[in-house]
Amino acid sequence: MALDRETRDQLLDMVARFVAERLRPIEAEVAENDAVPETVIAEMRDLGLFGLSIPEEHGGLGLSMEDETLVAIELGRASPAFRSVFGTNVGIGSQGLVMFGTDAQKAKWLPGIASGETVTSFALTEPEAGSDSASVQTRAVRDGDDYVLTGSKRFITNAGKASLFTVMARTDPDAKGGAGVSAFLVPAGLPGLHVGKAEKKMGQQGAHIHDVTFDGVRVPAENRLGAEGEGFKVAMQVLDRGRLHIAAVCVGVAERLIADCVAYASERKQFGQPIASFQLIQAMLADSKTEALAARALVLETARKRDADQSVTLEAAAAKLFASEMVGRVADRAVQIFGGAGYVADYGIERLYRDVRIFRIYEGTSQIQQLVIARETLRRGG
């Protein structure tokens, strides 16, 4: 549901103040400790951030896609690890349930997801199924009123804290590609479900990814999400929305970096004058600003199309491709503008440079986005 302008402005102002007053001051601490403080996570729950996209009847804010992207842009002005705390609840960890869940499934799980009491995780990627997500090998074999899940998943965000997984598993071993894949709601703590240690990563300290293994995990058949064999459809529709959300976060990070560059370049003096007066510095700022504006426009236009119930598979992929590549270039220029100060940890620029690199990989690599865009363009005839 779209908020009225006054309510939306109040929400965006609240998020902006939370980012400026609570999140940005502790970015270095979170990176050093590789953990977001529990007090801050509790504040996120109180602000309703875990339920941005959950319908109001299930305790969430029920934001439209446009409103959600505007909130994501504001959240992007802080280290991406903060958004990751609740990002799966807002996106890939909940939207399959919102789109395909039965009334009973929604009533059981969505209120807890919206409040943040239930942390969700989306388990699609496997050791041999990353970009080729249709090659899922985790098996789900029907046994009476249960399915028995066996297999492993890789790089699963929030798995260490998740109490509910959306798991893609193959129910028909003879079907080709995604046709034999089904989706399941799998509560944490079931016998045979094991979560590995957190991986050491290049960036986004404070956000954690894990391997998850399923060793004969019995899941009630009533926990299947959608019809048998619809799992790939569930995943792709969830990813459409997730890609748009990530694109919006990229815009927010880029806008923050540009503001930091402007402030630094206006104060830093060389040859007796602020470096902001040098045309080559201005050129980098101009390129960054132009690209960030273009990404913002594409994200918001695509969000409005989705809110109008138009297919946005192509546009969401384009937004994610452009915005994630754009923020990488902006971060690189930021290091260049800051010079040596951008390479050391004091200013946080090198941290953001590392943080944004993952945006070109998860929710589908840039190369996968290119394939989606080309396929959809050919299908549409131009």
Side-chain angles (χ1 to χ4, degrees):
M1 181 189 74
L3 301 176
D4 63 79
R5 185 62 180 266
E6 181 179 358
T7 303
R8 185 173 77 180
D9 288 347
Q10 290 174 348
L11 174 62
L12 295 175
D13 180 65
M14 177 188 71
V15 173
R17 284 188 287 109
F18 182 62
V19 166
E21 297 171 9
R22 292 293 291 128
L23 302 187
R24 287 192 59 164
I26 62 171
E27 287 178 332
E29 172 192 335
V30 167
E32 181 68 23
N33 297 333
D34 195 19
V36 177
E38 288 297 328
T39 53
V40 173
I41 296 175
E43 291 177 52
M44 292 176 177
R45 292 192 185 100
D46 292 341
L47 290 172
L49 296 181
F50 283 84
L52 294 176
S53 61
I54 309 297
E56 288 184 282
E57 60 266 31
H58 296 294
L61 297 182
L63 297 186
S64 67
M65 193 72 242
E66 181 181 2
D67 291 342
E68 182 185 326
T69 55
L70 288 169
V71 171
I73 289 172
E74 292 299 328
L75 291 166
R77 300 183 196 280
S79 291
F82 291 114
R83 185 212 62 90
S84 187
V85 169
F86 55 85
T88 49
N89 275 40
V90 171
I92 57 179
S94 70
Q95 290 308 295
L97 185 52
V98 171
M99 296 176 192
F100 294 93
T102 65
D103 289 343
Q105 289 170 339
K106 292 177 181 179
K108 181 176 181 179
W109 295 109
L110 286 180
I113 295 172
S115 69
E117 178 183 353
T118 297
V119 174
T120 62
S121 200
F122 185 72
L124 171 61
T125 301
E126 297 182 359
E128 300 300 325
S131 293
D132 185 10
S133 54
S135 294
V136 166
Q137 294 303 307
T138 296
R139 287 293 312 278
V141 178
R142 186 69 181 255
D143 182 21
D145 292 333
D146 296 332
Y147 285 88
V148 180
L149 271 61
T150 304
S152 61
K153 300 291 182 177
R154 293 220 72 187
F155 309 138
I156 306 304
T157 302
N158 284 343
K161 293 187 175 182
S163 44
L164 181 67
F165 294 86
T166 299
V167 181
M168 299 297 152
R170 187 165 296 280
T171 46
D172 184 354
D174 298 322
K176 293 182 178 180
V181 176
S182 301
F184 298 91
L185 299 169
V186 182
L190 290 180
L193 193 161
H194 304 284
V195 177
K197 64 180 179 63
E199 299 280 358
K200 292 184 178 180
K201 311 188 309 303
M202 177 180 179
Q204 296 205 19
Q205 278 66 44
H208 302 132
I209 59 175
H210 307 254
D211 285 358
V212 183
T213 59
F214 302 87
D215 185 10
V217 178
R218 300 190 73 89
V219 179
E222 65 186 23
N223 283 25
R224 191 185 65 226
L225 193 56
E228 192 168 287
E230 277 194 347
F232 195 66
K233 174 183 175 183
V234 171
M236 292 305 100
Q237 292 199 25
V238 167
L239 286 172
D240 276 354
R241 182 176 186 125
R243 287 165 178 168
L244 197 49
H245 179 100
I246 291 299
V249 175
C250 291
V251 171
V253 179
E255 291 181 350
R256 179 255 179 91
L257 283 166
I258 292 167
D260 288 351
C261 286
V262 168
Y264 182 80
S266 298
E267 296 175 358
R268 172 67 169 164
K269 291 185 177 181
Q270 290 288 279
F271 306 102
Q273 56 187 309
I275 63 173
S277 65
F278 301 141
Q279 288 183 331
L280 292 179
I281 297 293
Q282 292 175 4
M284 286 189 281
L285 290 172
D287 286 346
S288 293
K289 185 66 174 180
T290 301
E291 291 187 61
L293 285 170
R296 174 185 270 263
L298 178 56
V299 166
L300 292 177
E301 178 187 25
T302 303
R304 294 183 190 113
K305 285 184 177 180
R306 192 182 187 283
D307 287 335
D309 292 326
Q310 297 180 37
S311 172
V312 294
T313 297
L314 187 159
E315 290 82 0
K320 199 270 183 179
L321 172 65
F322 185 78
S324 63
E325 295 284 344
M326 173 275 297
V327 75
R329 292 189 292 269
V330 171
D332 186 74
R333 295 186 194 111
V335 173
Q336 199 69 13
I337 290 170
F338 273 72
Y343 196 72
V344 299
D346 293 355
Y347 289 84
I349 299 300
E350 61 81 30
R351 184 182 65 245
L352 287 171
Y353 178 85
R354 290 182 287 108
D355 286 347
V356 302
R357 186 60 183 86
I358 189 64
F359 289 140
R360 285 182 269 172
I361 297 173
Y362 64 23
E363 308 271 359
T365 65
S366 291
Q367 289 66 42
I368 290 297
Q369 308 308 326
Q370 289 173 315
L371 293 176
V372 171
I373 295 163
R375 181 195 69 210
E376 292 297 308
T377 299
L378 291 167
R379 187 180 65 81
R380 296 183 187 184

